[in-house]
Amino acid sequence: MSARFLVTAPIPSPGLDLLRCAGEVTVLQDQPDSAFLRHLCASGNFDVVLTHTRDVIDAPLLEQAQLRGVANNAVGFNNVDIAAATANNTMVANTPGVLTAATADIAMLLILGTARRVVEADTMVREGRFHGWEPGLMLGSDVSGRVLGLAGFGRIARATAHRALAFGMDVIFTPRPPVHREVSLTELGEFAGKVKQVRWNELVEHSDFLSLHVPLTDGTRHLVNASVLSRMKSEAVVINTARGPIVDEAALVQALKNGPIGGAGLDVYEHEPALAPGLAELPNTVLLPHIGSATVRVRGEMARLSALNALAMARGELPPHPVNPGAWD
Ligand code: DGY
């Protein structure tokens, strides 16, 4: 019998073509609610489900599922309960690497966009409120000479560091906040002498831009909370291209409204796609719709990698990018 794939939203053709060559493909056109997704996964009609970050693959679904694997079309996999997947012999795979540069570009765009008030400026022009050059019009802040604090020092953080250094920023980082883990010179590699490791407290207190690059786990949920925000510089800006719940969004809105911080550039939200009350009204924010990886090439590559993961799992082989490689032991 040929392999049977469930794809929870249309994906670019490089991925779909690969799947279609290997078996039967069912693509959902509308986002499934959790009961429907659970029903489909438990039906026995599919070998592998290709999911997206918005699909919640939790323990109840995994306990009933009759699947060999879950190919998550993302590098992040916080939407999948990995322990429950492993306990139920379900392999999970993801798409690392291909979206690093695109996501770092968006982090840099948010740094520049918040510093130079790009949304306010664009809105002013479109609304016909631009009446010619003025010495005091839309003054923002410099990025060169300012401190970028990276929470995390993985692939995307490093790619963001590259960009920030090219813009003349001073880069400090904490590899695994809030805990301390010393990074060796070998691990620093090409960044030795160019960036400085600090503890989480220092990162919070010294950053002009605090950019988040950690996975969402129990240890990083609300990493940036009211207490952290209260210790940041008065003009500091929070940048989040990782996962929304790393920031307590209600506390962020308060900190943006009443001080102490100066702005926020967000691509992800705590209760995505909903925004915390008041966030959209704040002028000192740049708000994007989770587009870190959204280039034609990158989304095509992600779809291709997800399909390769799905094909391998359908054949009972270890996928190219397994998250829980021991799931079938
Ligand atoms: C990911 O891959 O984790 C992104 O958030 C989705 O593009």
Side-chain angles (χ1 to χ4, degrees):
M1 195 169 64
S2 73
R4 299 152 313 160
F5 302 100
L6 172 65
V7 182
T8 66
I11 56 169
S13 55
L16 270 188
D17 294 347
L18 277 170
L19 294 177
R20 285 192 173 126
C21 287
E24 283 167 36
V25 185
T26 304
V27 182
L28 303 181
Q29 297 303 320
D30 300 316
Q31 183 175 356
D33 63 24
S34 55
F36 186 49
L37 188 56
R38 196 181 319 146
H39 162 77
L40 291 173
C41 292
S43 67
N45 292 335
F46 304 103
D47 301 303
V48 175
V49 60
L50 194 151
T51 53
H52 299 85
T53 54
R54 63 191 196 186
D55 301 317
V56 179
I57 310 299
D58 56 10
L61 182 151
L62 288 157
E63 278 154 19
Q64 293 172 27
Q66 296 190 49
L67 296 169
R68 280 194 189 152
V70 176
N72 205 40
N73 189 31
V75 64
F77 45 81
N78 55 287
N79 57 314
V80 184
D81 184 331
I82 300 300
T86 308
N88 290 284
N89 305 110
T90 309
M91 184 79 71
V92 181
N94 70 340
T95 66
V98 290
L99 46 76
T100 303
T103 308
D105 287 347
I106 288 289
M108 199 63 219
L109 178 150
L110 289 170
I111 291 168
L112 291 167
T114 47
R116 301 301 297 272
R117 305 173 61 185
V118 71
V119 173
E120 289 173 85
D122 178 278
T123 306
M124 167 182 263
V125 175
R126 287 175 199 277
E127 291 180 349
R129 291 184 285 112
F130 173 45
H131 304 302
W133 190 89
E134 287 170 41
L137 183 67
M138 281 287 161
L139 303 187
S141 58
D142 295 311
V143 298
S144 54
R146 316 242 350 266
V147 177
L148 171 64
L150 298 169
F153 203 54
R155 280 182 291 253
I156 297 173
R158 286 167 184 253
T160 305
H162 262 304
R163 286 153 178 75
L165 290 169
F167 276 86
M169 299 185 83
D170 295 331
V171 179
I172 58 178
F173 72 97
T174 303
R176 194 174 295 161
V179 298
H180 182 65
R181 180 180 74 78
E182 199 65 36
V183 163
S184 67
L185 262 185
T186 322
E187 214 181 318
L188 262 183
E190 58 177 325
F191 288 104
K194 296 183 182 162
V195 304
K196 187 174 156 223
Q197 172 165 12
V198 297
R199 291 186 184 251
W200 175 232
N201 277 349
E202 280 177 75
L203 196 84
V204 165
E205 286 159 21
H206 295 170
S207 296
D208 293 307
F209 296 86
L210 176 65
S211 191
L212 306 174
H213 301 281
V214 288
L216 175 61
T217 63
D218 290 343
T220 61
R221 190 174 296 276
H222 283 193
L223 177 71
V224 176
N225 55 23
S227 148
V228 164
L229 290 162
S230 72
R231 285 183 281 126
M232 293 180 70
K233 289 182 179 175
S234 60
E235 292 304 313
V237 176
V238 172
I239 303 292
N240 193 2
T241 54
R243 284 293 182 266
I246 296 166
V247 177
D248 178 342
E249 208 170 287
L252 179 69
V253 170
Q254 283 316 309
L256 288 166
K257 268 190 186 161
N258 311 322
I261 71 162
L266 307 177
D267 187 40
V268 288
Y269 304 90
E270 184 169 1
H271 302 291
E272 210 167 296
L275 304 189
L279 182 61
E281 283 74 59
L282 294 171
N284 47 350
T285 57
V286 177
L287 306 176
L288 301 179
H290 201 149
I291 54 167
S293 62
T295 73
V296 174
R297 187 190 65 79
V298 170
R299 286 285 165 87
E301 271 301 286
M302 287 169 68
R304 198 178 63 81
L305 278 194
S306 299
L308 291 176
N309 282 330
L311 294 182
M313 291 190 284
R315 288 193 299 263
E317 293 166 9
L318 197 65
H321 299 288
V323 171
N324 56 346
W328 292 340
D329 288 351

